[in-house]
Amino acid sequence: MSSSLCQISRVSTSLPGFLAFFITFHTCKVESVVGPDQTITAIVGEEIVLPCRLSPSMSAENMDVRWFRPGSTNYVHLYRDGRDQFGQQMPQYKRRTAFWKDGITAGNVSLRILNIGPSDEGLYICLVEDDITYKEAVIELKVAALGSNPIISVEDYQKGGIRVTCRSAEWYPEPQVLWRNSQGHHIPSLSEIKSPKVNGLFETEISVVINGHSNQNLSCWIRNSLLDREKESAIHISALFFPRVNPWMVALSVLLVVVLSFTILNVYLFKIKGNLQQELGWKRAVICPGLGHTAPPLEKEDVTLDPDTAHPYLDLSEDGKVVQWRYTRQRLPNNPERFDTWCCVLGREGFTSGRHWWEMEVEVGEGRWWAVGVARESVRRKGGISFSPEEGVWAVQCCWRKYEALTAPHCTPLSLHRAPSRVGVYLDCTLGRVSFLDADTGAPIFTFPPAWFAGGRIRPWFLVEVGEIKLRWRQREGKGTCKTGPARCPLRPQSCSCL
């Protein structure tokens, strides 16, 4: 029997209404709340959906749905009176939970949790209550993190041998660590340290002493038992480095290592210099476009947002210059152009050639989640999508003050000296280049490897889960193009040396 009939029976006071209520009470009441059959595992830094549904299936729009942790008086998330309630939400879950409203009429009361951390591990209770009864389900969440690749270093001479240490970080739960020889046999370690950091993730350090010619080939093996995945690094120690070898041979070997390291360092610095010069080349074109004579002209774009592509949780200003994330889902037509799963929106403008530049203000702070960049016009709008160049998206994101480039197969962490409040996007359709910089300081943020843009338009792309993006172009000091000498740069208030 439908949930609407159950709701009608509650408000009817006549005898037929009472009979309908009596019938539906026995046929439409919540018999149970069903969770997953097994423990759910989530990866640190990602998001997870805790599934929960009513049995039999019926609308939960007029019911109270409470998600909480055992032993806590506050809620992880509370849905009551047809909307989310945040008054008594646990502080650590603020702006990190989203109630699954799309399927609530069919009894789906699942909860999405963003930016999973070790403290989120444990039991969760999904409790559903109506005017008649209440039912609950218990869900267990396990959290895991696959740490960094092991780094092996030769420390010093000790006890007639060489002390070798292996280090790795960002593991959860506490990993299994051991040394192995070339045959895969376990080598007893000299010391082993596993310590949790402030963020709850584990850092591990394990040492071993290698004597003589035995076990010169060894590897450091680290395993996450929850994910059933492991990482391993290997090293070969030459016999020249053992103490019983002629000291002059050891000194010669050390000297050769120093010379080789110096040579490699010079090559690396030369490569960095070349990359820096190349980076400064496009930066010069962005900041001082008047200096470019060989490249196509750099167009400053007045980007506006396309409301036909905006997710229903996104609120666009009338002039199409500001987009904000709202808790309330808007009633919008589900046209083919509209994103329906991720809170994305495209710019109206599309580009097939030339060089283009635009910038925007982004709201920074704890709990903000935004991403900006470009996307192919053919990018998928419906269902789940892993945003990366392979999917037709070139972008950088900020999630809880963690900045990353959306590369594949994994995101690339960005080490920024300051949190950018204004992000500039540079698009060169001819060279297939997409670059980002801090629009206030001119500091580069990230440049994607060259891509192939032929065969379709490239449009500005934005994602706002929590926060706000403003497409504003502030008036800068000076006019015209940047000249040589003591002139002022039009796009920067400081003295311009035209990098």
Side-chain angles (χ1 to χ4, degrees):
M1 188 172 292
S2 68
S3 60
S4 60
L5 181 57
C6 295
Q7 295 168 0
I8 292 174
S9 67
R10 295 178 186 173
V11 300
S12 184
T13 57
S14 62
L15 179 60
F18 176 77
L19 294 176
F21 170 80
F22 181 79
I23 295 173
T24 56
F25 172 77
H26 289 280
T27 57
C28 293
K29 68 178 182 178
V30 179
E31 294 183 359
S32 63
V33 175
V34 182
D37 296 332
Q38 55 189 5
T39 300
I40 295 178
T41 301
I43 305 299
V44 170
E46 298 184 1
E47 65 175 58
I48 194 66
V49 174
L50 301 181
C52 185
R53 59 182 176 83
L54 306 185
S55 178
S57 297
M58 64 183 66
S59 175
E61 288 180 298
N62 297 322
M63 301 181 185
D64 287 358
V65 181
R66 310 178 202 178
W67 283 89
F68 59 93
R69 304 285 299 269
S72 175
T73 57
N74 292 339
Y75 302 120
V76 175
H77 196 96
L78 174 62
Y79 174 84
R80 175 181 288 169
D81 298 329
R83 61 190 182 92
D84 297 314
Q85 308 284 344
F86 298 99
Q88 293 182 308
Q89 188 177 35
M90 298 173 68
Q92 62 267 37
Y93 290 97
K94 286 188 180 296
R95 300 183 182 273
R96 293 181 53 219
T97 59
F99 190 57
W100 206 268
K101 299 187 183 68
D102 291 344
I104 194 170
T105 56
N108 186 350
V109 292
S110 301
L111 182 70
R112 182 171 65 166
I113 303 178
L114 309 177
N115 193 24
I116 290 293
S119 62
D120 296 322
E121 187 172 71
L123 298 180
Y124 290 78
I125 298 178
C126 171
L127 186 145
V128 180
E129 182 178 4
D130 57 16
D131 296 337
I132 302 172
T133 185
Y134 71 90
K135 299 291 182 179
E136 64 181 36
V138 179
I139 298 96
E140 183 177 9
L141 176 65
K142 291 286 187 180
V143 175
L146 192 65
S148 60
N149 291 323
I151 298 177
I152 301 176
S153 59
V154 177
E155 300 294 321
D156 53 18
Y157 291 104
Q158 184 173 335
K159 297 180 180 180
I162 298 176
R163 183 170 177 264
V164 184
T165 300
C166 173
R167 297 179 178 89
S168 183
E170 304 296 310
W171 290 86
Y172 193 86
E174 184 177 309
Q176 179 185 1
V177 188
L178 54 86
W179 288 101
R180 301 196 296 191
N181 60 19
S182 57
Q183 289 77 38
H185 299 152
H186 173 230
I187 303 175
S189 60
L190 174 67
S191 64
E192 181 176 341
I193 302 174
K194 298 176 186 176
S195 56
K197 298 303 178 182
V198 176
N199 59 4
L201 302 181
F202 284 90
E203 182 176 84
T204 180
E205 176 179 311
I206 185 171
S207 299
V208 67
V209 173
I210 305 301
N211 296 290
H213 298 286
S214 62
N215 296 326
Q216 290 179 253
N217 296 291
L218 70 159
S219 62
C220 176
W221 180 86
I222 307 179
R223 180 175 182 269
N224 186 312
S225 58
L226 186 59
L227 296 177
D228 194 20
R229 294 182 61 184
E230 61 190 47
K231 290 190 174 183
E232 187 172 11
S233 295
I235 188 174
H236 170 75
I237 301 177
S238 173
L240 293 174
F241 286 93
F242 288 94
R244 65 183 181 182
V245 179
N246 189 307
W248 290 103
M249 293 297 294
V250 174
L252 178 61
S253 301
V254 171
L255 180 61
L256 289 175
V257 170
V258 171
V259 172
L260 181 61
S261 300
F262 182 76
T263 303
I264 294 174
L265 179 61
N266 277 316
V267 173
Y268 177 70
L269 292 177
F270 182 79
K271 183 177 179 180
I272 289 180
K273 180 181 178 182
N275 293 338
L276 181 60
Q277 290 175 340
Q278 186 178 22
E279 186 70 29
L280 291 178
W282 77 260
K283 183 179 174 185
R284 179 193 302 118
V286 171
I287 299 177
C288 302
L291 294 180
H293 300 292
T294 60
L298 180 67
E299 302 291 340
K300 187 272 163 182
E301 303 297 339
D302 187 15
V303 173
T304 56
L305 303 169
D306 184 355
D308 291 337
T309 65
H311 188 278
Y313 278 114
L314 296 184
D315 184 17
L316 275 57
S317 63
E318 293 185 2
D319 61 358
K321 290 291 187 179
V322 181
V323 55
Q324 289 182 309
W325 183 85
R326 302 293 190 188
Y327 277 104
T328 304
R329 183 184 181 92
Q330 304 176 82
R331 295 184 178 273
L332 298 175
N334 187 22
N335 50 291
E337 296 84 9
R338 190 176 309 284
F339 289 92
D340 68 350
T341 301
W342 289 97
C343 296
C344 303
V345 60
L346 294 177
R348 290 181 182 271
E349 296 71 24
F351 314 105
T352 57
S353 61
R355 299 185 305 148
H356 309 273
W357 162 257
W358 62 92
E359 68 177 42
M360 65 224 71
E361 297 178 12
V362 291
E363 185 177 353
V364 297
E366 294 294 339
R368 307 302 180 190
W369 185 9
W370 52 260
V372 296
V374 300
R376 296 188 186 275
E377 191 169 51
S378 58
V379 66
R380 283 191 291 150
R381 320 289 175 86
K382 309 297 183 185
I385 175 173
S386 177
F387 295 115
S388 66
E390 282 71 11
E391 293 282 358
V393 175
W394 293 261
V396 295
Q397 74 168 1
C398 169
C399 183
W400 283 78
R401 287 191 178 273
K402 179 181 179 182
Y403 296 90
E404 297 175 319
L406 301 182
T407 53
H410 305 291
C411 294
T412 301
L414 303 178
S415 299
L416 304 181
H417 297 294
R418 65 184 294 273
S421 60
R422 297 168 60 80
V423 177
V425 181
Y426 171 75
L427 170 66
D428 189 331
C429 295
T430 304
L431 298 180
R433 180 184 291 273
V434 180
S435 298
F436 303 85
L437 60 79
D438 186 326
D440 284 322
T441 65
I445 293 177
F446 186 79
T447 297
F448 279 89
W452 179 253
F453 288 156
R457 294 203 309 167
I458 303 297
R459 297 172 65 178
W461 174 88
F462 310 88
L463 179 147
V464 186
E465 283 286 351
V466 178
E468 177 182 82
I469 293 178
K470 298 179 181 179
L471 294 164
R472 298 298 191 209
W473 182 259
R474 294 177 179 171
Q475 182 65 34
R476 304 283 182 141
E477 184 176 344
K479 295 182 180 180
T481 60
C482 184
K483 302 177 182 179
T484 57
R488 310 285 284 180
C489 180
L491 303 185
R492 301 186 69 175
Q494 304 91 346
S495 297
C496 179
S497 58
C498 299
L499 298 175

